[in-house]
Amino acid sequence: KVVAALKPSIIIDNGDLLDFASISRHDKLGWEEGFSVEEELIAGMSFLRQLQKASPSSLFLGIQSNHIDRYNNFLVKHCPQFRNVKGFKYEDQLPPGWNYHLSIRLNKNTMFLHQYHSGVHSAYNNVVKGGLNMITSHTHKMEVKPYTDYNGTRYGVQTGTLATVRNNPFFNYTMGTPLDWRAGFVVLTY
């Protein structure tokens, strides 16, 4: 609804659109089945197409991330013979019009990457050590940390997660611990 109302110039998936827990190096939690790779791809690609439908004139970009890397890494490890076969890479699954990158330098002042620094002070460390406005999402937190020096003010922004945080079966691996994660998204204006 927000995308349809705002019709943004650029929409950026800042990573971890999908989890790919079924092909993760981490053990499953007990007898939990989870979702198959096919089920996740169907849901994720449907979501990306919905964004395109809501704002067809936007530029659609994505950032490579650790959970998305599970897809290609699994195939590289178990099916290296299919390296250049069209249709095997994650990028081949994307709806036409979506382009994925390792990072995006939006302008001279703003860098998008999935992760840079982690931990409780990651937004602060990102902006101080990055020297730019740093937009990340790896921690699933949602926060803005301004940093001012003699060059002006820059921001460390963590974009949260689009997923529902509480009672979400995708996050059962947290074993019910309190999470400092926030569901949401970020709208930036220039």
Side-chain angles (χ1 to χ4, degrees):
K1 290 178 182 178
V2 173
V3 167
L6 294 179
K7 303 277 191 223
S9 300
I10 303 171
I11 295 174
I12 298 177
D13 163 14
N14 211 23
D16 289 353
L17 172 68
L18 304 172
D19 187 42
F20 293 126
S22 67
I23 54 175
S24 169
R25 64 182 171 83
H26 301 290
D27 290 335
K28 292 181 180 175
L29 185 62
W31 299 102
E32 191 171 78
E33 279 297 316
F35 298 93
S36 71
V37 170
E38 180 185 30
E39 289 169 322
E40 287 198 51
L41 283 171
I42 289 169
M45 298 312 113
S46 173
F47 177 72
L48 294 179
R49 284 191 294 277
Q50 288 175 40
L51 292 174
Q52 289 175 302
K53 186 177 178 183
S55 185
S57 62
S58 297
L59 176 63
F60 299 94
L61 303 173
I63 304 288
Q64 189 173 328
S65 63
N66 58 312
H67 287 260
I68 296 302
D69 285 346
R70 289 176 178 172
Y71 183 96
N72 286 334
N73 291 346
F74 182 88
L75 293 174
V76 166
K77 182 177 180 181
H78 298 286
C79 306
Q81 303 84 349
F82 291 88
R83 177 185 182 129
N84 294 315
V85 175
K86 184 159 178 56
F88 269 78
K89 295 178 183 172
Y90 176 76
E91 296 79 12
D92 296 337
Q93 310 306 316
L94 296 168
W98 279 92
N99 296 298
Y100 274 64
H101 307 272
L102 292 173
S103 62
I104 297 170
R105 179 86 180 251
L106 185 64
N107 55 35
K108 65 180 183 155
N109 301 316
T110 307
M111 174 68 82
F112 287 79
L113 12 127
H114 179 66
Q115 67 188 73
Y116 188 27
H117 294 280
S118 291
V120 68
H121 302 293
S122 55
Y124 175 81
N125 287 327
N126 288 345
V127 69
V128 171
K129 296 176 182 180
L132 304 167
N133 297 307
M134 299 293 291
I135 318 301
T136 59
S137 63
H138 179 66
T139 64
H140 300 187
K141 294 180 180 182
M142 179 167 249
E143 64 180 344
V144 176
K145 294 289 185 185
Y147 178 77
T148 303
D149 61 15
Y150 290 112
N151 293 314
T153 300
R154 301 181 299 278
Y155 299 90
V157 179
Q158 296 193 86
T159 61
T161 176
L162 291 176
T164 302
V165 176
R166 298 195 193 297
N167 302 316
N168 187 331
F170 270 113
F171 301 137
N172 282 350
Y173 64 87
T174 63
M175 308 295 281
T177 58
L179 300 173
D180 199 18
W181 302 351
R182 300 289 178 265
F185 55 91
V186 172
V187 176
L188 302 173
T189 59
Y190 294 88

